[in-house]
Every structure is written in C-alpha cells, then in structure tokens.
Amino acid sequence: FCSSQNCGHAYPTFLAVLWCAGLLCSQAPAAFAGLMYLFVRQKYFVGYLGERTQSTPGYLFGKRIILFLFLMSVAGILNYYLVFFFGSDFEIHIKTITSAISPLLLIP
C-alpha cells in the first residue's frame, strides 16, 4: 500500500516536468527520461515486495530522473526569456547538451 501511495503522489510532479521539458526544451531526451522513470518506478514498486532496502535504489534513481527533467524545463524557460528579452537563441546548444546527458541516466 505504501509504495502505491508513493507512486500516486509522485505521478503529478512527473507529468508536469515531463510536459514542460518536452515542450520547452527537447522532446527526445524528455521521452527517454520519461520511459526510464516508468521503469524505475516499477523497480521501486517491486522493491517493496522484498526488503525495504531493495526499494531505495529505485527511489533515488527516480529522484535523479525528476531532477534531470526539472533542469531541462528550467533551461527551456530560460531560453524562452533570453529569446524574448535579448534575441539570443540557445536552443541548439541546449538540445545538444540534453541529448548528450540523457544516456548518462542509465548509470545507476
């Protein structure tokens, strides 16, 4: 019951940062991180069936993915304001960096 409750509480946050990262920054790394998050939450849920220490890696891994999506969202918002106020666009650089960093999410 506790793992199901934790998954339910984290899901709205996940959806918000996933949509923001996909719309404002780059869709491919956001989709990759979203799929990774779903697999990690499954690992977290299954970890509760065994010892409680088995769920900790899934929990921490999920927090890292949420942080990555949040940073992508912040980068997209900052880029929007840079374009709006100063006329300089860093979208290509942000997409390159996020595409290069997203495979690093596979490292436990």
Side-chain angles (χ1 to χ4, degrees):
F1 176 74
C2 186
S3 65
S4 176
Q5 202 64 14
N6 288 342
C7 289
H9 287 243
Y11 194 66
T13 304
F14 163 68
L15 283 179
V17 294
L18 178 69
W19 276 94
C20 287
L23 289 175
L24 299 173
C25 193
S26 182
Q27 293 176 357
F32 176 72
L35 287 174
M36 288 296 301
Y37 184 76
L38 293 176
F39 288 124
V40 165
R41 289 311 276 189
Q42 177 64 24
K43 182 177 180 179
Y44 172 69
F45 187 75
V46 170
Y48 259 103
L49 297 176
E51 293 180 22
R52 196 158 281 212
T53 58
Q54 291 176 342
S55 66
T56 304
Y59 176 75
L60 296 175
F61 200 46
K63 291 292 183 186
R64 189 170 69 179
I65 292 172
I66 291 289
L67 177 67
F68 174 72
L69 289 170
F70 176 74
L71 291 176
M72 281 181 62
S73 301
V74 169
I77 291 169
L78 288 175
N79 186 48
Y80 172 78
Y81 282 116
L82 284 173
V83 169
F84 186 74
F85 288 118
F86 301 113
S88 58
D89 190 13
F90 293 102
E91 183 178 1
I92 295 171
H93 301 295
I94 293 171
K95 284 185 179 182
T96 304
I97 290 170
T98 56
S99 296
I101 291 176
S102 64
L104 295 177
L105 291 174
L106 294 172
I107 298 172

